[in-house]
Amino acid sequence: MKTVTVYDIAREANVSVATVSRVLNNTAPVKKETRERISALIEKYQFQPNALARSLIRKETGMIGFILPDITNPFFPEVLAGFDREARKMGYTYFLCDTFSTNEETLNQYERESQYISLLMEKQVDGIVMLGGRIDLSRPDPQMIREVEEAARRVPFLLLNGSLPQVGLNRVATDQKLGAVLATQHLLELGHRDIAAVGGYSAMSNTQQRLQGFRSAMRENGLQPRKEWMLQDGFSVEAGVEFTSRLLAMNPRPTAIFCLNDLVAIGALKAASRAGVRVPEELSIIGYDDIQFAANSIPELTTVSLKAAEIGRLAAETLHRMIGKKKVPKLLSVLPELVVRQSTAAVRKGG
Amino acid sequence: MKTVTVYDIAREANVSVATVSRVLNNTAPVKKETRERISALIEKYQFQPNALARSLIRKETGMIGFILPDITNPFFPEVLAGFDREARKMGYTYFLCDTFSTNEETLNQYERESQYISLLMEKQVDGIVMLGGRIDLSRPDPQMIREVEEAARRVPFLLLNGSLPQVGLNRVATDQKLGAVLATQHLLELGHRDIAAVGGYSAMSNTQQRLQGFRSAMRENGLQPRKEWMLQDGFSVEAGVEFTSRLLAMNPRPTAIFCLNDLVAIGALKAASRAGVRVPEELSIIGYDDIQFAANSIPELTTVSLKAAEIGRLAAETLHRMIGKKKVPKLLSVLPELVVRQSTAAVRKGG
DNA sequence: CTGAAAGCGCTAACAG
DNA sequence: CTGTTAGCGCTTTCAG
């Protein structure tokens, strides 16, 4: 199956390749008759111009790299979808680069990020957006920073919900601290005083920011968070189960739990159910992220929406502007939003 | 920022571009000293060969197109992850092509599929894997079939959990009918006789196959499915809520519900909870797919695993073989598996 | 309105 | 072990 090229079309149409190129790209006027002859041949052979050759000369590929930590974590498909809907409108196609790493693999997550950044540049993507991994670390390795800096010098590079210290990279992000304040205030308004905060990783900046928000909201209400109710280092359902089980075994125990993400909150729901503790009657649980499933648990999860889809959409829009060398703000901030559902309720008197 | 090329390296190293290419690709022996000189320059300039140029001549890009219907549907990230882990091992990068379409968009899902297929071929992908959309239709438009046939003639093309009538395309798929048989038998073994089957779309072949499995398992036990308990045309949580609410209002009502996917089952759980019907004591619910969340609902969902990740993994493996022009079976069949958790129980006597 | 010709950046014979 | 030389398939001046 010989692949047909502009030359084949040109020859059969008795024109030069330049003319074929012109009708292909509508880049210069072509006599109607000639144009139709060429179009007919294109149709006849189902001719599709080779995008590689085209990109090689045009120096733009219409391809973007999207780096994220784990597509099976329900938060990420949501931002990806937001990004997708917007990016495709503008004619971009994107490489999905999942940096998830199992223990059996030779490369860890950060090494894979490095690998992908480099790979994407070789593929000549028009831009890169990155999410998670090293940009969530509060103190990433200098080498990790340098790599991204380097890359950003060569190609538009956008960080989503994360940042790299000391580096003025473009980013779009939700205000993580504010989200935590919202969650905590909600609990406070329901009369809770004994509030635990579980989940997250102490080495991650998102966790630190959320915890900051929690503490500051507590303090503003004259409350001092209890150390033994602050259980960190886990973002999974299993971790949520574990943290909550521990909490429920304590004396005194909290009347409300602020979970640093929805997965942990789902684990909390599970642990409460196992322990025979009713939610929200005996225990209020609030999550963070507002993943799709938060609306489907029983009871439905009260949570803070990080506006995942909006972050994604903005990312596509912003990256597009960067690619077009238009001016964009260094930081585009998105406001989180409290979503009240069923897992929180007023504290019981004399509980 | 002038981009550095093999020529720049060659000039500064006092060698020809061919030699640079040789050390780049390790494609022929190069004197140690020369090699080191070149490597040093590559390092110095952070030189990265342009993959477009390379692919243009090599006629292979290491790029794959992955077409799926909706990344926010939790089933798909799971097959994608399986695919991802395997594909990256083999050095592939892939374009994610989500064909989800809102009503506001000009193109519908099938048109978007067409667009992507064409786009991917222009980008010169080494292969395409497709999931959902037209290949799930029991009677797709002839034009839709022809397009895929055409594409498959030009590039390795693999269908996942679906097929196109009258066309011998390569596929890897789970046995959908068997999965339904497994689910139904499980319910039957628990003593259920009054079983409803809800969810799915009657125009989709996966639905037809699942329903076939259900009916055949029922009939083998001398049972006749009740028409009024077969509620179709919906694969969402909301649909599950709706179907189940209707079922619970009937008299007589079923003692068990076979949900054609987990999302519908989650809706069923919700509807039961709202109606004050306890699961599994008063009502058994079984799902289908085994998405991640099935293990996290309360009660945890009994379901049939479609082996999503395994499908994805096999897809990568198979497509790779096809790209390498190795022999592959037309159909690679994966066996579904019953996953018993908490949402099913023996039928109550005299219920 | 159209053609000739010069590349884009790289690889791959083919010589040496 | 290394250099020369054609291209890969397309776009884009520059003439006409």
Side-chain angles (χ1 to χ4, degrees):
Chain A
M1 178 95 153
K2 202 201 152 301
T3 134
V4 8
T5 74
V6 276
Y7 282 95
D8 302 318
I9 304 289
R11 191 179 329 108
E12 190 158 341
N14 268 312
V15 295
S16 74
V17 291
T19 305
V20 176
S21 174
R22 285 181 188 113
V23 349
L24 236 31
N25 302 291
N26 203 3
T27 188
V30 173
K31 205 204 298 173
K32 185 157 179 252
E33 188 192 320
T34 332
R35 169 191 308 283
E36 278 165 1
R37 194 153 24 102
I38 294 174
S39 296
L41 287 168
I42 288 175
E43 183 58 29
K44 171 176 170 196
Y45 290 110
Q46 302 259 39
F47 169 66
Q48 294 182 294
N50 182 323
L52 296 178
R54 171 177 294 170
S55 296
L56 186 55
I57 178 161
R58 285 226 193 126
K59 276 148 182 20
E60 63 172 49
T61 55
M63 309 186 309
I64 290 176
F66 198 106
I67 303 177
L68 52 70
D70 179 12
I71 192 67
T72 67
N73 178 326
F75 180 73
F76 299 113
E78 252 147 271
V79 359
L80 190 60
F83 172 81
D84 179 286
R85 309 311 180 240
E86 186 73 18
R88 70 185 181 197
K89 263 193 226 167
M90 310 185 294
Y92 291 107
T93 307
Y94 60 93
F95 293 113
L96 183 62
C97 303
D98 187 316
T99 57
F100 181 85
S101 180
T102 62
N103 289 329
E104 291 110 58
E105 291 175 285
T106 41
L107 265 49
N108 69 29
Q109 175 176 23
Y110 307 115
E111 291 166 332
R112 207 176 289 289
E113 286 174 356
S114 306
Q115 192 190 40
Y116 273 132
I117 290 173
S118 164
L119 183 71
L120 289 171
M121 295 181 53
E122 286 185 15
K123 301 268 191 213
Q124 312 295 124
V125 295
D126 291 341
I128 298 179
V129 7
M130 183 167 182
L131 193 48
R134 68 181 68 182
I135 73 169
D136 280 349
L137 261 26
S138 61
R139 169 132 171 41
D141 189 286
Q143 172 61 23
M144 291 188 194
I145 302 181
R146 206 165 331 119
E147 265 175 22
V148 175
E149 247 181 316
E150 274 292 319
R153 231 196 303 281
R154 298 173 178 228
V155 57
F157 207 109
L158 188 59
L159 309 187
L160 260 42
N161 269 12
S163 67
L164 247 17
Q166 318 293 335
V167 185
L169 293 169
N170 288 87
R171 11 192 231 115
V172 1
T174 318
D175 188 331
Q176 304 265 355
K177 184 177 170 187
L178 176 56
V181 169
L182 257 28
T184 312
Q185 272 175 354
H186 170 67
L187 261 15
L188 258 8
E189 279 161 18
L190 288 171
H192 293 278
R193 292 293 171 269
D194 302 321
I195 308 177
V198 307
Y201 285 95
S202 16
M204 288 172 69
S205 44
N206 59 14
T207 300
Q208 297 178 357
Q209 291 158 5
R210 290 172 200 188
L211 253 21
Q212 256 174 42
F214 170 69
R215 286 204 196 87
S216 104
M218 288 289 274
R219 269 198 293 268
E220 260 183 35
N221 283 262
L223 262 24
Q224 184 66 29
R226 285 194 184 230
K227 277 231 185 55
E228 66 274 29
W229 288 352
M230 310 275 285
L231 271 21
Q232 264 59 62
D233 293 331
F235 255 149
S236 65
V237 175
E238 292 69 35
V241 170
E242 160 70 11
F243 295 149
T244 307
S245 307
R246 270 200 266 158
L247 241 29
L248 293 177
M250 292 182 187
N251 193 349
R253 61 152 87 150
T255 63
I257 306 180
F258 168 36
C259 297
L260 266 69
N261 77 352
D262 287 344
L263 258 18
V264 167
I266 288 167
L269 246 28
K270 230 169 154 167
S273 159
R274 279 187 201 163
V277 173
R278 284 173 309 146
V279 176
E281 294 82 354
E282 301 174 80
L283 178 70
S284 281
I285 292 176
I286 189 167
Y288 201 101
D289 281 356
D290 195 26
I291 59 176
Q292 223 179 86
F293 195 79
N296 295 325
S297 60
I298 303 174
E300 293 173 13
L301 200 61
T302 294
T303 188
V304 172
S305 169
L306 274 192
K307 305 287 191 62
E310 173 65 4
I311 290 278
R313 202 192 58 71
L314 263 178
E317 195 179 299
T318 306
L319 194 62
H320 177 58
R321 295 184 60 91
M322 291 168 67
I323 291 170
K325 298 193 190 315
K326 301 217 185 86
K327 226 177 129 57
V328 300
K330 273 292 177 199
L331 169 62
L332 264 167
S333 193
V334 174
L335 292 185
E337 207 166 76
L338 179 70
V339 182
V340 178
R341 286 196 273 248
Q342 307 167 336
S343 64
T344 49
V347 67
R348 292 202 303 180
K349 304 293 171 195
Chain B
M1 178 95 152
K2 203 202 154 296
T3 134
V4 9
T5 74
V6 276
Y7 282 96
D8 303 317
I9 304 290
R11 190 178 333 108
E12 191 158 340
N14 269 312
V15 295
S16 74
V17 290
T19 304
V20 176
S21 176
R22 283 181 190 114
V23 349
L24 237 29
N25 302 290
N26 204 0
T27 187
V30 173
K31 204 204 299 173
K32 187 159 177 251
E33 189 192 322
T34 334
R35 170 191 308 283
E36 279 166 1
R37 194 153 24 104
I38 295 174
S39 296
L41 288 167
I42 289 176
E43 182 57 29
K44 170 178 171 195
Y45 290 109
Q46 300 261 39
F47 169 67
Q48 294 181 293
N50 183 323
L52 297 177
R54 170 179 292 168
S55 297
L56 187 55
I57 178 161
R58 284 228 193 125
K59 275 148 179 25
E60 62 173 50
T61 55
M63 308 185 311
I64 291 177
F66 198 106
I67 304 177
L68 53 70
D70 179 12
I71 192 66
T72 67
N73 178 327
F75 180 73
F76 299 113
E78 253 147 270
V79 359
L80 189 61
F83 172 82
D84 178 286
R85 309 309 180 241
E86 186 74 19
R88 71 186 182 195
K89 263 194 230 167
M90 310 185 295
Y92 291 106
T93 306
Y94 59 93
F95 293 114
L96 182 62
C97 303
D98 188 315
T99 57
F100 181 84
S101 180
T102 63
N103 289 328
E104 292 110 59
E105 292 176 285
T106 41
L107 264 50
N108 68 29
Q109 173 176 25
Y110 307 115
E111 291 165 333
R112 207 174 289 289
E113 286 174 356
S114 306
Q115 192 189 38
Y116 274 132
I117 290 173
S118 165
L119 183 71
L120 289 171
M121 295 181 53
E122 285 184 15
K123 300 266 190 213
Q124 311 297 123
V125 295
D126 290 341
I128 297 178
V129 6
M130 183 167 182
L131 193 48
R134 68 182 67 182
I135 73 170
D136 279 348
L137 262 24
S138 61
R139 171 134 170 39
D141 189 287
Q143 172 60 22
M144 290 187 196
I145 302 182
R146 206 165 331 119
E147 264 175 22
V148 176
E149 246 180 319
E150 275 291 321
R153 230 194 305 282
R154 297 172 179 229
V155 58
F157 207 111
L158 188 58
L159 309 186
L160 260 41
N161 270 11
S163 67
L164 249 14
Q166 319 293 334
V167 184
L169 293 170
N170 288 85
R171 4 192 238 117
V172 359
T174 318
D175 188 331
Q176 306 263 355
K177 184 175 169 186
L178 176 57
V181 169
L182 257 29
T184 313
Q185 272 176 353
H186 171 66
L187 261 15
L188 257 10
E189 279 162 18
L190 288 172
H192 294 278
R193 292 293 171 266
D194 303 320
I195 307 177
V198 307
Y201 285 95
S202 15
M204 287 172 70
S205 44
N206 59 14
T207 300
Q208 297 178 357
Q209 290 158 7
R210 292 172 199 188
L211 254 21
Q212 258 174 43
F214 170 69
R215 287 205 194 86
S216 105
M218 289 290 275
R219 268 198 292 270
E220 260 183 35
N221 284 262
L223 263 23
Q224 184 66 29
R226 285 192 182 230
K227 277 229 185 54
E228 67 274 27
W229 288 352
M230 310 276 283
L231 271 22
Q232 263 60 62
D233 293 332
F235 255 149
S236 65
V237 175
E238 291 69 37
V241 171
E242 160 70 13
F243 295 150
T244 306
S245 307
R246 270 199 266 158
L247 241 29
L248 292 178
M250 292 182 187
N251 191 348
R253 59 151 87 150
T255 64
I257 306 179
F258 168 35
C259 297
L260 266 71
N261 75 353
D262 288 343
L263 258 18
V264 167
I266 288 166
L269 246 27
K270 229 169 155 167
S273 158
R274 279 187 203 165
V277 174
R278 285 173 307 145
V279 177
E281 295 81 355
E282 302 174 78
L283 178 70
S284 280
I285 292 177
I286 188 166
Y288 201 102
D289 281 356
D290 195 25
I291 59 176
Q292 223 180 86
F293 195 79
N296 295 325
S297 60
I298 303 175
E300 292 174 13
L301 200 60
T302 294
T303 189
V304 173
S305 168
L306 274 193
K307 305 286 189 65
E310 172 65 5
I311 291 277
R313 203 193 58 71
L314 263 178
E317 193 179 301
T318 307
L319 193 63
H320 178 59
R321 296 184 60 90
M322 290 168 67
I323 291 170
K325 296 193 187 320
K326 301 219 185 83
K327 227 175 129 55
V328 300
K330 273 291 178 202
L331 170 62
L332 263 168
S333 194
V334 173
L335 293 185
E337 207 166 76
L338 180 69
V339 182
V340 178
R341 285 196 272 247
Q342 307 167 337
S343 66
T344 50
V347 69
R348 292 203 303 180
K349 302 294 171 194

